[in-house]
Amino acid sequence: MASSSSYNSPCAACKFLRRKCTPGCIFAPYFPPEEPQKFANVHKIFGASNVTKLLNELLPHQREDAVNSLAYEAEARVRDPVYGCVGAISFLQRQVQRLQKELESANADLIRFACNEINPTANLPPPPSITPRPRSSSLGFYQQPPAFPLPYPLPWNDTSDPSGNINDGGEGNM
Amino acid sequence: MISPRCAACKYLRRRCPSDCIFSLYFPPNDPQRFACVHRIYGASNVAKILQQLPPNLRAQAADTLYFEAHYRIQDPVYGCVGIISQLYQQIHNAESELAKTQAEIAFLNCNPQEEVQPIEANYSNFNNLLPNQYCPPSTQNSWFN
């Protein structure tokens, strides 16, 4: 969490809004001056006053996560004005469903081995490729080059790969 | 005959012009839909987003804006990014389980004479793999199929 309330360094929000950055600026801890695009995106999608209202409704310790999730949604919406984050949710749900089917199939095979009902080498297809797909597998959703990373890592989920890809083959690209 | 105002113009207490950008996507019979997006994005931001899109994409955009606004109201800290986070976690868990299971299959393929104890534990995650389907609260949810 950055603090830009020093007298000679306005936060990115106050720089963008061309106003004095006061010591109590609600944006200053979360929009450091070295990340101007973060506030620009949030302002474009949500607006400064809506963000202020949202932050004021939260406890101070919740605000950093809230700002980061708003920034994430804003960047997703800027890149894809039709689907925003919903495109990512759709893609990830399909991945979960696909993995469930693969797991069901693999467990069925394992049960067959356990029961020793079949000759495993004669009747089973070759094991499917088991290398878990890295989350950075490229799926050009936003007409971007492959390997579109998460705009910001999700700090509240330690197991997430911050370079994971959230995109899917385009459905709603402009 | 005067057309009824759309939900947006009713909410904003203004006349609903014939070319109102909101009217097709915020019908008067669903006032909560516009109230939601207005609370999170504001009317002018929604109008700008819709206006920059070709008309054939605006309905989907309005639906996804409503979806995100709805989840932001339900979870003001994480909004629908919380859903993404959960899905990543589920994918991680499923991939680990799958790798483990397929490693066992590969082992058994190489050692067909090994006696294998009946497997009991591998179904443990089946019922937990799929989240509740996060469908946008609209009839047009084809992007989740």
Side-chain angles (χ1 to χ4, degrees):
Chain A
M1 189 170 85
S3 174
S4 311
S5 55
S6 59
Y7 54 88
N8 60 353
S9 181
C11 71
C14 293
K15 260 191 183 172
F16 186 97
L17 298 169
R18 297 184 189 178
R19 67 183 195 192
K20 185 167 179 292
C21 191
T22 60
C25 174
I26 194 161
F27 297 122
Y30 318 111
F31 293 101
E34 52 272 5
E35 290 180 52
Q37 196 58 45
K38 185 177 176 183
F39 183 78
N41 289 341
V42 166
H43 181 265
K44 180 173 179 177
I45 301 302
F46 297 101
S49 59
N50 288 329
V51 174
T52 303
K53 278 187 229 164
L54 281 165
L55 293 182
N56 279 330
E57 287 169 5
L58 297 173
L59 298 170
H61 71 273
Q62 297 174 311
R63 290 175 184 164
E64 186 177 9
D65 281 351
V67 165
N68 286 338
S69 68
L70 287 168
Y72 185 98
E73 283 189 35
E75 174 149 0
R77 184 62 65 174
V78 165
R79 288 175 184 255
D80 185 349
V82 180
Y83 292 101
C85 270
V86 175
I89 291 173
S90 172
F91 165 69
L92 292 170
Q93 282 191 318
R94 286 197 295 274
Q95 270 202 310
V96 170
Q97 288 167 349
R98 177 186 59 80
L99 283 166
Q100 188 195 32
K101 287 194 175 105
E102 285 185 43
L103 195 50
E104 283 175 6
S105 171
N107 275 300
D109 292 343
L110 204 51
I111 290 293
R112 280 198 286 272
F113 273 113
C115 297
N116 206 21
E117 284 178 4
I118 57 172
N119 178 344
T121 56
N123 294 340
L124 275 182
S129 160
I130 60 173
T131 306
R133 284 194 353 223
R135 291 193 190 93
S136 60
S137 60
S138 63
L139 298 155
F141 181 33
Y142 299 131
Q143 295 178 342
Q144 294 273 339
F148 167 67
L150 288 177
Y152 297 96
L154 302 174
W156 50 83
N157 183 353
D158 291 335
T159 59
S160 292
D161 179 356
S163 64
N165 200 329
I166 63 171
N167 301 313
D168 193 3
E171 282 182 21
N173 294 323
M174 293 188 56
Chain B
M1 182 176 169
I2 300 172
S3 303
R5 290 183 294 173
C6 71
C9 293
K10 261 192 185 173
Y11 186 98
L12 298 168
R13 296 182 187 180
R14 65 183 197 190
R15 191 178 67 86
C16 191
S18 53
D19 60 349
C20 176
I21 188 76
F22 301 116
S23 59
L24 288 175
Y25 320 112
F26 298 98
N29 60 347
D30 192 358
Q32 185 256 356
R33 179 175 158 98
F34 182 77
C36 236
V37 297
H38 181 267
R39 180 170 163 183
I40 300 301
Y41 298 103
S44 59
N45 288 331
V46 174
K48 276 187 225 161
I49 291 171
L50 294 179
Q51 269 156 0
Q52 75 177 81
L53 294 172
N56 61 313
L57 293 176
R58 288 176 186 168
Q60 285 156 313
D63 281 346
T64 60
L65 286 167
Y66 175 35
F67 179 88
E68 289 188 30
H70 173 79
Y71 277 98
R72 180 60 62 174
I73 290 169
Q74 289 207 334
D75 182 353
V77 180
Y78 298 110
C80 68
V81 179
I83 300 171
I84 292 174
S85 181
Q86 286 177 38
L87 288 170
Y88 268 123
Q89 184 63 54
Q90 293 187 354
I91 287 168
H92 173 81
N93 293 343
E95 284 176 340
S96 299
E97 185 81 14
L98 185 62
K100 208 167 52 167
T101 304
Q102 291 179 330
E104 290 181 46
I105 291 172
F107 173 77
L108 291 170
N109 260 331
C110 297
N111 299 277
Q113 303 308 316
E114 288 286 326
E115 283 203 12
V116 179
Q117 297 298 322
I119 302 297
E120 293 174 4
N122 285 329
Y123 289 100
S124 59
N125 288 335
F126 277 180
N127 293 330
N128 299 329
L129 274 179
L130 276 181
N132 291 327
Q133 288 293 323
Y134 292 107
C135 291
S138 122
T139 55
Q140 294 182 13
N141 58 0
S142 57
W143 55 79
F144 285 98
N145 296 328

